[in-house]
Amino acid sequence: MYMVNVRDHMMIAHSFSGETFGPAQRLHGATYVVDACFKRKALDEENLVVDIGRASEVLHEILGEFNYRNLDEVEAFQGQNTTTEFMARVIFDRLAVAIRDGRLGASARGLSALAVTLHESHVAQAGFEGPL
């Protein structure tokens, strides 16, 4: 499997509901380093997995929707704990739509899978991976 990974970051605020989360039930911030790993079984006719420039631009646009936001105030997330795992799936879904819509260019049509990983510190990360 061939892979191309692009990286960006976002800074958010949020709080969680439930005793499981202890002090994280209070409003707190996080700076996530976000990796998007695009995968395919064979390179395209130009020997690419995906256009790295376009992949970087689209990831940046998607993260811009959440950057410097309190996720507790995002209508679509009402009633949800916006955990690292949850946000990885949200970003995955938005990237998958961008791929289907052609925003990552022709080479993205041959992608097999995508993995999104959010690093919340140097020792903790969570993600979501799935087929395209």
Side-chain angles (χ1 to χ4, degrees):
M1 188 75 68
Y2 292 95
M3 298 175 287
V4 164
N5 193 82
V6 295
R7 177 174 279 186
D8 205 333
H9 74 284
M10 66 178 175
M11 294 178 267
I12 57 93
H14 60 176
S15 61
F16 299 133
S17 297
E19 292 298 316
T20 302
F21 297 102
Q25 292 176 81
R26 294 188 298 270
L27 185 64
H28 62 280
T31 299
Y32 291 117
V33 173
V34 181
D35 287 322
C37 185
F38 302 88
K39 302 177 182 185
R40 63 187 295 155
K41 294 177 183 174
L43 298 176
D44 74 2
E45 61 278 350
E46 295 179 318
N47 288 330
L48 291 174
V49 171
V50 68
D51 182 314
I52 291 175
R54 284 189 181 186
S56 295
E57 288 170 7
V58 170
L59 178 61
H60 186 75
E61 289 170 14
I62 289 168
L63 298 183
E65 180 182 345
F66 309 115
N67 201 25
Y68 293 106
R69 299 268 320 265
N70 179 349
L71 300 182
D72 297 347
E73 298 173 353
V74 176
E75 187 174 332
F77 300 156
Q78 295 303 303
Q80 298 285 332
N81 281 322
T82 53
T83 62
T84 307
E85 300 93 313
F86 176 88
M87 290 306 297
R89 179 61 188 261
V90 166
I91 295 164
F92 174 96
D93 289 344
R94 282 167 169 72
L95 282 169
V97 167
I99 291 164
R100 281 192 299 275
D101 290 349
R103 292 177 50 210
L104 276 79
S107 63
R109 290 189 187 103
L111 291 169
S112 305
L114 171 64
V116 174
T117 305
L118 275 65
H119 305 263
E120 59 178 87
S121 74
H122 67 288
V123 296
Q125 63 189 32
F128 183 83
E129 180 174 355
L132 293 171

